[in-house]
Structures are given as C-alpha cells and as structure tokens.
Amino acid sequence: MGTCYDPGVETALIMQWDGHLNAGTVHDDLLSHVDFAPTILDLIGEESPGEIDGRSFAPLLVDDEYVPRDRIFLEFTWHSKYNPMRAVRTNEYKYIRNVGDLPLVYIPAPLFSSSAGRDVRDEFYGRQRPEEELYDLQEDPLEMNNIVEEPEYADVVEHYRTMVDDWMTESGDRLLEGNGHQRHAKKSGLKNHRGSPGMSISSANRTHHDYVRHFLITYMLVIIVPIMMILLTIVR
C-alpha cells in the first residue's frame, strides 16, 4: 500500500556477525536506510565520505556509546501512480504532508482486487487524503486520529512543518518545483527555488514526467537489458 504510516515504512533489521554482535539483542531505535552505508563502512574500519547521507549506528550494535536519532524523514513519490508524500517521525509524533488529491490510502492496481485490497478499500479508499496529518504516537500508535487541526497542537504542527520544509529545501526536493507544493508554501512562508511562493502547473508536469522517465530507464536497465543479454547468449 502507498503510505507513510508506520506499517508502510517500518521494517525489521536482523544482523549476525559472530564474535562481534551479541546474539539475542533487541533494539527499538529510529534508523533510516541512508544509515546503512556509513554503518557498514564503520564496522569494517573504513571512514565514510564526507558527503555521504546518513550516520553510522555501529556503536548501537556493539554496545558502544551511541547518540540516538531524534527524528527520521520519510518520502514516498511513486508506486504504480504519482503519489507524493513527505513526512517526519520522532518518538513522539508523526507529521505527514500529502501533495495531490488521492484516497486516504492509495491501493496500487495489482492489489486493489486482491483479498488484502478488499479488506481495506471500503474503509480507507473512499475518504480523501488530508493535506497534512499529525499523530501523537504515544497516545495513538496506530495513527488513526489525525490531530493536525486541534488547537492545542498548533505549535507542534508548526514545528514539524518547518522541519519538513527545511529538509526538502536542503535535499533539493523536486516537489518544490511543482504546483502541488503551493498551498504548503503559503502556510509556512516557504519559497521555491525561484523565489516565488507558488509554482506553475508546467513545473509540476515536468517533475511528474521526470519521475516517469527515471522509472522507465531503471526498468529497462534492471529488467529488459539482462533479458536481452540472456537471449543473445542463447542465440549464439
């Protein structure tokens, strides 16, 4: 399912390294996929390049001094449909920004008619996804009660909204070039790379087409080219 909720982004990591990692140890820390490369380099005694994303969690694995992450950023752009979302998660809250008009949980075509799709589409597919979502993960770990409009959480919303704004700007997120970001720019005062608070529809279309092109190129390199090489080998 296309989602930035925990079931859509959370996964287990199982590691074994005889003589180095303690068997049976369980950790429940915030980690990101961008942390894997620096962690592996750290474990084998190599320094990470200065420009690499992420940070090593090797100290956590070997019971050394480790400073936990206080947040992780999440992004979702494409899964059988252009479906962009950006989010930040801490141990306390999850803030999600939805760009575009789609159901609360978008179900990709191959799953829509499956038994799993039938179980959830009546509950989630009919409702429109809100522009912003905020969940208190201590009180609402299943992320069922969106509190983004609750007055007592206004400061929390603004703080988390700013975190996502800053992250998108620092990472050069292509969504900043699309008109779907306009309403969020107005809320936070964030400007696009050209210095204007709104984006053109043509910019959004270019961003969409770029994602499609990159997807097709990757598909060809990973699937089509190896198949052609195998067929040429058989013919020879």
Side-chain angles (χ1 to χ4, degrees):
M1 308 294 179
T3 174
C4 276
Y5 302 131
D6 275 1
V9 297
E10 203 173 48
T11 186
L13 171 64
I14 301 175
M15 303 185 71
Q16 178 180 346
W17 191 12
D18 293 341
H20 297 273
L21 305 183
N22 296 325
T25 303
V26 178
H27 299 283
D28 185 20
D29 288 74
L30 292 174
L31 303 176
S32 175
H33 282 95
V34 296
D35 297 334
F36 284 114
T39 298
I40 297 301
L41 289 172
D42 196 2
L43 289 174
I44 63 176
E46 296 292 334
E47 291 188 7
S48 297
E51 69 278 6
I52 196 170
D53 289 331
R55 51 182 290 233
S56 172
F57 57 88
L60 176 67
L61 302 175
V62 297
D63 294 329
D64 202 351
E65 184 175 349
Y66 175 70
V67 179
R69 272 184 174 276
D70 62 350
R71 72 195 72 173
I72 55 172
F73 292 100
L74 310 168
E75 62 178 322
F76 187 99
T77 301
W78 184 281
H79 187 81
S80 82
K81 185 178 179 66
Y82 186 61
N83 182 24
M85 297 172 246
R86 300 296 184 262
V88 60
R89 188 199 194 283
T90 67
N91 285 318
E92 291 78 30
Y93 297 98
K94 163 90 65 68
Y95 167 84
I96 302 174
R97 175 174 300 173
N98 299 302
V99 181
D101 299 317
L102 288 169
L104 186 61
V105 175
Y106 171 70
I107 305 175
L111 293 177
F112 188 82
S113 298
S114 68
S115 59
R118 289 193 298 270
D119 287 342
V120 300
R121 68 189 184 194
D122 289 341
E123 181 177 359
F124 297 109
Y125 206 76
R127 284 186 285 160
Q128 190 70 21
R129 181 180 300 165
E131 295 180 5
E132 296 179 293
E133 301 172 65
L134 180 72
Y135 298 97
D136 185 335
L137 299 178
Q138 301 300 311
E139 300 294 330
D140 180 26
L142 297 181
E143 300 167 272
M144 300 296 290
N145 181 30
N146 182 13
I147 56 175
V148 75
E149 300 291 345
E150 300 293 334
E152 59 266 35
Y153 292 97
D155 291 341
V156 176
V157 172
E158 186 59 32
H159 176 56
Y160 279 66
R161 180 186 291 153
T162 301
M163 282 197 285
V164 170
D165 286 342
D166 292 344
W167 168 60
M168 292 177 70
T169 301
E170 292 168 5
S171 62
D173 197 318
R174 297 295 300 276
L175 284 184
L176 295 176
E177 301 175 14
N179 72 324
H181 182 69
Q182 183 174 1
R183 57 179 177 266
H184 304 294
K186 288 180 178 178
K187 286 181 180 178
S188 60
L190 184 70
K191 294 185 177 181
N192 71 343
H193 295 164
R194 297 181 179 86
S196 62
M199 328 298 164
S200 68
I201 293 177
S202 61
S203 295
N205 290 335
R206 286 199 302 272
T207 302
H208 186 182
H209 294 158
D210 284 344
Y211 279 117
V212 173
R213 185 173 66 252
H214 293 161
F215 172 80
L216 292 175
I217 291 173
T218 302
Y219 180 81
M220 290 180 64
L221 291 175
V222 175
I223 304 295
I224 304 300
V225 173
I227 291 176
M228 292 179 64
M229 293 177 66
I230 292 173
L231 291 176
L232 288 174
T233 303
I234 293 175
V235 171
R236 290 176 183 174

